[in-house]
Amino acid sequence: MQIDQLLLQKGLISQQQLDLAHTQRNGHRIDEQLVEMGVITEEDALRTWADTLGMEYVDLQNTEIDLDLLRTFPMTVIYRHSILPFREVDDLVHVATGDPFDLESLDELSSLSGRELKPVLARKSEVVEMIKTHLGVGGDTINQLVSQRQQENGVELLEEIDEDIGEMAEEALAASVIRLVNELLVEAIDQQASDVHIEPHEKGLTVRFRVDGLLRVQPVPPEINHFASAIITRLKIMSHLNIAEKRLPQDGRIKLRVKGREIDVRVSIIPMIFGEGIVMRLLDKERMVFNLANVGMPPEIISPFKKLISLPHGIILVTGPTGSGKSSTLYSSLNEIKDPKTKIITVEDPVEYHSTGISQIQVHSRIGLTFAAGLRSILRHDPDVILIGEIRDGETAQSAIQASLTGHLVFSTLHTNDAPGSMTRLIDMGVEPYLVASTVEGVLAQRLLRKLCTKCKAIDNSLVEDFPVDFPVKQIEGPIYKEVGCRDCRDIGYAGRTGIFELMQMDEEIRHMTVNNASTGAIRNHALKNGMVSLRQSGWNKVLEGVTSIDEVLRISKGEYS
């Protein structure tokens, strides 16, 4: 029986879907076309083939991989054909493949290894993931580099070579090194990482990706240590940095196009004890959608915040640590009020995202174009709205205050732990309390917390029995969820992030308290009594909505026991 008839017989597809797939398949197998259309899953198709051909289907996520066996096979063939030898039964090696008809790859692996193989079906994405996990990202490229090195008359240099000779050596390795660096970047983008850390240690390089705010160590072959210098030099070349300078920190930028998407990479290189460490911030422009609904603002925050950003003048501050989504909120705010009748100018360091209809200025501190200097120049360009990337010092704070007093709406960010702390922070920078009180209209504090994977989260209301003290137990009406972990979220239990917010709107009492140098705690207590939702409470609301877990709120926010 044909595969399409079997799928029909199992009730996995309808005749109408099958007819449509036949008209669109364009040379694909019918099951491949149905998977591409989203009618069936790859697992459905493979299990049907397994039943038809008398083959076994395995879930590699829950299958033990024999690493000693795997390492006896040629890495190049495994990577090139995405096939995975994973166990041996009675001198017969079971090889996972995502294609039941790819006999050519198996023949090649059998002839090169001299082993008898048995094909076993598994999802192709899982096969690729397991290869990267157990053999490392870029393992095939590393294998080729090792082969090249072994062919160089068996000579290994134990000391650093001269720069000129080094450039010649790197030129000889350029193609493979370029491929290796590209593989690392593509893997980071596929995992939706925000940062890539390449860290030198005494025993070699460590590669870590920051995904959803937390760092994950990436498996790489140990042989990568031999090519650390070539990798760093390649990244320096891509970032237009000085490849000869190895004693001073350097910052650069790379613009890439990966799978049709534009990626902006900010590169920071710092000399460390065992070599140069690199951190790359990945900005995926295609994934960024700047609107306030997209950043996760609840209705009780978004409505008053929209009123604040529509004011004719004053200062609106967004606070939080690095990586808390402040830039996304500010860009979303500007897009909300953007209009042909309104002149918007920004001063940023660096300009992360280019936005049409907004004039953007890049800070260059080395030539004197600081936030404060840029702001002074901006005021001569007749703006209505001004965005200052960050208030870092007293001079910038004073300039922002003056811009507000002259009838401009000013947006900026500040590094404080909560919204009320912004008042005392500005005063500590040297701004007169009465100026802070008369210009600041509102402060939004925010954090990003991880969302539970919708495919595997599980109900566990027992979690609230012992902790935490400030959990709003009386409000529990629906289920409380916890993380589990599945193949879709890479067994982490979380996928994606959302924001939690604390919006403090200025009133006469807060202005009076600010003028009188009241403490942050006093201002906070007043704001909470008058309806301000704290970051912690915003997090608990996300728990009650089933968006995140209690553990995640505890990790990201400070407790309130008053």
Side-chain angles (χ1 to χ4, degrees):
M1 189 180 288
Q2 296 293 323
I3 185 75
D4 51 358
Q5 297 305 311
L6 280 167
L7 291 168
L8 270 174
Q9 191 180 81
K10 287 186 172 187
L12 294 170
I13 60 171
S14 66
Q15 186 63 51
Q16 185 180 4
Q17 290 170 329
L18 180 59
D19 293 340
L20 181 61
H22 274 295
T23 61
Q24 294 183 358
R25 68 177 185 165
N26 195 22
H28 292 158
R29 280 202 325 261
I30 193 66
D31 60 303
E32 292 175 335
Q33 182 60 41
L34 287 164
V35 170
E36 190 174 310
M37 291 166 60
V39 175
I40 59 172
T41 64
E42 185 185 5
E43 184 173 337
D44 289 335
L46 289 172
R47 284 188 181 277
T48 305
W49 277 123
D51 292 343
T52 307
L53 302 172
M55 298 174 72
E56 181 186 356
Y57 174 84
V58 293
D59 179 354
L60 286 179
Q61 293 281 1
N62 300 311
T63 302
E64 188 175 345
I65 310 295
D66 186 338
L67 298 182
D68 293 331
L69 172 71
L70 175 59
R71 292 187 183 112
T72 63
F73 285 84
M75 200 182 294
T76 303
V77 180
I78 290 171
Y79 274 91
R80 186 167 66 243
H81 298 299
S82 297
I83 52 179
L84 180 73
F86 66 98
R87 71 184 173 205
E88 185 175 11
V89 181
D90 298 329
D91 295 327
L92 197 62
V93 177
H94 292 196
V95 180
T97 175
D99 185 348
F101 302 106
D102 187 15
L103 302 178
E104 197 174 311
S105 302
L106 294 167
D107 287 343
E108 183 181 352
L109 187 63
S110 179
S111 63
L112 288 172
S113 63
R115 307 293 295 275
E116 190 176 351
L117 310 178
K118 177 185 177 182
V120 174
L121 295 182
R123 291 171 67 220
K124 186 166 185 177
S125 58
E126 278 188 4
V127 175
V128 172
E129 183 65 31
M130 287 296 163
I131 291 171
K132 288 176 181 175
T133 299
H134 297 299
L135 295 179
V137 178
D140 185 29
T141 306
I142 290 290
N143 199 36
Q144 292 177 22
L145 287 169
V146 171
S147 298
Q148 287 181 18
R149 172 172 280 201
Q150 289 171 347
Q151 291 167 10
E152 293 173 359
N153 301 321
V155 176
E156 183 177 356
L157 295 168
L158 299 177
E159 294 182 350
E160 286 291 322
I161 51 179
D162 294 334
E163 199 61 42
D164 291 340
I165 302 173
E167 287 181 355
M168 291 165 59
E170 286 154 8
E171 195 172 317
L173 295 172
S176 294
V177 171
I178 289 169
R179 182 176 160 195
L180 175 59
V181 170
N182 289 349
E183 284 175 7
L184 282 172
L185 290 170
V186 168
E187 179 66 15
I189 292 162
D190 285 345
Q191 291 192 31
Q192 298 187 1
S194 61
D195 301 85
V196 176
H197 294 239
I198 301 176
E199 303 161 329
H201 298 288
E202 187 174 8
K203 295 182 180 179
L205 281 184
T206 299
V207 178
R208 297 195 286 174
F209 294 166
R210 189 177 294 280
V211 182
D212 290 339
L214 295 180
L215 285 168
R216 297 180 191 168
V217 175
Q218 295 305 302
V220 290
E223 292 84 2
I224 198 173
N225 302 329
H226 301 308
F227 312 102
S229 177
I231 291 168
I232 291 166
T233 301
R234 171 62 188 163
L235 287 167
K236 283 182 178 179
I237 291 168
M238 292 172 73
S239 310
H240 308 288
L241 300 177
N242 181 359
I243 63 172
E245 182 55 74
K246 299 183 180 180
R247 300 165 300 168
L248 295 173
Q250 297 189 72
D251 294 316
R253 199 165 187 164
I254 307 170
K255 289 187 177 181
L256 302 172
R257 189 183 297 276
V258 179
K259 298 180 181 177
R261 289 149 51 192
E262 275 194 32
I263 309 293
D264 208 7
V265 184
R266 286 178 9 219
V267 181
S268 175
I269 301 179
I270 297 179
M272 297 183 181
I273 296 175
F274 297 108
E276 292 175 284
I278 298 182
V279 174
M280 294 180 281
R281 168 65 57 89
L282 307 179
L283 302 171
D284 189 345
K285 298 180 180 180
E286 301 293 323
R287 286 179 53 222
M288 296 306 297
V289 180
F290 293 116
N291 60 62
L292 291 176
N294 193 55
V295 299
M297 278 192 187
E300 63 269 20
I301 295 286
I302 201 166
S303 180
F305 188 70
K306 281 185 176 180
K307 290 179 182 175
L308 281 175
I309 64 177
S310 301
L311 292 172
H313 54 78
I315 296 177
I316 312 295
L317 295 172
V318 180
T319 78
T322 302
S324 60
K326 300 189 298 294
S327 295
S328 296
T329 299
L330 286 173
Y331 278 110
S332 299
S333 303
L334 294 182
N335 278 339
E336 186 76 26
I337 62 174
K338 188 167 64 175
D339 186 273
K341 300 171 187 173
T342 305
K343 174 83 168 186
I344 301 175
I345 305 182
T346 74
V347 190
E348 303 168 68
D349 182 23
V351 175
E352 291 186 352
Y353 300 99
H354 302 287
S355 184
T356 55
I358 297 174
S359 304
Q360 296 171 282
I361 298 171
Q362 169 79 49
V363 166
H364 289 289
S365 300
R366 290 180 185 174
I367 59 172
L369 181 53
T370 60
F371 280 118
L375 190 49
R376 286 194 296 271
S377 301
I378 279 177
L379 294 176
R380 294 192 288 272
H381 261 247
D382 188 29
D384 298 298
V385 178
I386 298 168
L387 166 65
I388 306 168
E390 183 185 342
I391 296 178
R392 295 177 179 171
D393 50 44
E395 187 183 6
T396 308
Q398 294 284 3
S399 300
I401 296 285
Q402 291 303 317
S404 168
L405 290 171
T406 52
H408 302 91
L409 183 62
V410 180
F411 291 89
S412 191
T413 66
L414 203 61
H415 285 290
T416 60
N417 291 325
D418 57 12
S422 301
M423 303 295 104
T424 50
R425 180 82 181 96
L426 288 172
I427 293 169
D428 288 344
M429 285 182 174
V431 181
E432 292 292 340
Y434 74 90
L435 288 175
V436 175
S438 61
T439 54
V440 176
E441 296 293 342
V443 185
L444 180 76
Q446 69 177 74
R447 299 288 189 279
L448 289 177
L449 49 72
R450 295 179 296 168
K451 295 191 292 186
L452 286 166
C453 173
T454 56
K455 301 285 178 64
C456 65
K457 65 181 182 180
I459 297 173
D460 190 350
N461 281 8
S462 66
L463 292 169
V464 300
E465 292 176 4
D466 300 322
F467 69 90
V469 176
D470 60 347
F471 191 86
V473 180
K474 294 177 183 178
Q475 297 180 30
I476 297 178
E477 296 176 0
I480 301 298
Y481 291 90
K482 68 175 182 180
E483 74 280 9
V484 178
C486 64
R487 68 160 64 107
D488 289 291
C489 62
R490 297 173 182 262
D491 285 322
I492 292 168
Y494 297 92
R497 289 191 290 176
T498 188
I500 55 173
F501 303 91
E502 175 179 283
L503 179 61
M504 185 183 80
Q505 300 178 77
M506 296 293 281
D507 59 23
E508 287 308 312
E509 181 60 26
I510 294 178
R511 294 188 199 279
H512 180 71
M513 294 172 80
T514 302
V515 169
N516 290 301
N517 279 318
S519 67
T520 297
I523 295 173
R524 180 175 186 77
N525 288 335
H526 169 79
L528 289 170
K529 287 176 185 174
N530 283 270
M532 181 180 83
V533 177
S534 68
L535 281 169
R536 184 77 152 205
Q537 182 61 54
S538 180
W540 292 143
N541 291 341
K542 296 287 185 184
V543 171
L544 297 172
E545 292 166 13
V547 173
T548 192
S549 67
I550 289 176
D551 283 344
E552 184 65 4
V553 176
L554 291 172
R555 183 182 73 84
I556 214 75
S557 63
K558 184 180 175 184
E560 297 156 359
Y561 307 110
S562 56

